[in-house]
Amino acid sequence: MMVCATCLDRLEVQEAYDYKSLDIINLEENERYDEALACLDAFLEANRHRDHDRWLARSIARNRASILFDAGRYAEAEQACEAWAQLGFGDGWDRWMHGFEKAQTLDALGRPREAVAALEDALRYRDPKNLPAVMIPLVALVALSEKLGQPVDPKWRSLAEAVAKRYRAELPAADSLGKAILELDEITRTRKPKFPDEWKKDELEGDEP
């Protein structure tokens, strides 16, 4: 099968970055954060000319924000999140992970209400293909809402219900939406979501947002 030059570049860059990420993770786990960041910069510089769709730039921006957060350098992590957003988002997974990363950074900076706003802004993004990944910001929203002593906004019930359907389940009947989301999170950890032909049929029939 013939692969276009641009597509081949993407495949090769992604494979190389996956491999390099092992070194970066090792550095981070050993708290050698500056070295990990330097590895990110060096890899991007060496492969920038092959990053036609900016997948690599977005991936490195995401990892930079994560490393800075883990290092406790929250102000820098917030700046990294802003730089990441400037690159745009490739899909729902990318958008939701940005919301999650930004929210945990804002919370660490003592700004939990802004963190909730960041999560809710991310949750407005719709991407049926990557729907299962939306559980990450949803669960984070529950935690932050509890921290603020407020319920999860009912407007997110339909999104949680859509995730449940993707896993051939019903949203648990808990005494609050937050608890229902947490129970759903436990369910999704032990089940596989529907195959594409199944959820695409649901989407056509209007069963998913």
Side-chain angles (χ1 to χ4, degrees):
M1 181 177 66
M2 296 294 293
V3 179
C4 71
T6 298
C7 297
L8 183 59
D9 277 344
R10 165 65 183 274
L11 290 171
E12 291 179 347
V13 166
Q14 188 166 344
E15 181 178 4
Y17 188 59
D18 287 345
Y19 184 78
K20 175 58 68 174
S21 292
L22 299 176
D23 294 333
I24 295 169
I25 290 170
N26 182 61
L27 289 170
E28 187 177 3
E29 288 178 344
N30 286 283
E31 299 184 0
R32 295 160 63 183
Y33 301 113
D34 286 329
E35 291 178 62
L37 293 168
C39 277
L40 289 178
D41 292 337
F43 192 88
L44 178 60
E45 188 59 32
N47 293 278
R48 193 187 302 275
H49 64 289
R50 298 200 294 169
D51 189 24
H52 309 292
D53 61 357
R54 299 201 295 185
W55 173 87
L56 179 61
R58 290 193 299 271
S59 298
I60 285 180
R62 180 180 66 250
N63 287 351
R64 174 181 296 280
S66 178
I67 290 170
L68 289 168
F69 178 85
D70 289 344
R73 293 155 61 174
Y74 304 129
E76 291 178 75
E78 182 183 13
Q79 293 174 356
C81 283
E82 295 305 320
W84 176 8
Q86 291 299 314
L87 293 169
F89 304 110
D91 54 26
W93 186 89
D94 205 23
R95 180 68 186 91
W96 296 327
M97 293 309 100
H98 177 268
F100 171 77
E101 198 70 49
K102 183 176 180 179
Q104 69 171 0
T105 299
L106 290 171
D107 184 42
L109 288 167
R111 293 148 61 188
R113 294 192 184 279
E114 290 180 58
V116 167
L119 284 172
E120 292 194 321
D121 187 46
L123 287 169
R124 292 186 181 93
Y125 192 99
R126 292 291 183 265
D127 180 1
K129 179 181 178 181
N130 292 291
L131 183 62
V134 84
M135 285 303 298
I136 295 174
L138 269 179
V139 170
L141 179 63
V142 174
L144 280 169
S145 297
E146 289 180 349
K147 181 176 183 177
L148 291 169
Q150 64 187 37
V152 174
D153 194 311
K155 67 187 175 186
W156 302 118
R157 177 174 291 277
S158 62
L159 182 58
E161 290 173 341
V163 175
K165 288 180 180 177
R166 183 62 65 89
Y167 284 88
R168 306 178 186 86
E170 296 290 333
L171 184 65
D175 58 11
S176 72
L177 178 55
K179 289 182 179 179
I181 290 172
L182 294 181
E183 290 181 24
L184 175 62
D185 185 47
E186 291 299 318
I187 292 171
T188 61
R189 291 174 186 272
T190 59
R191 294 191 185 186
K192 292 185 179 297
K194 293 178 180 178
F195 292 108
D197 60 333
E198 294 178 89
W199 66 255
K200 287 179 180 178
K201 181 180 178 181
D202 289 343
E203 188 179 32
L204 288 173
E205 294 175 349
D207 287 341
E208 294 192 0

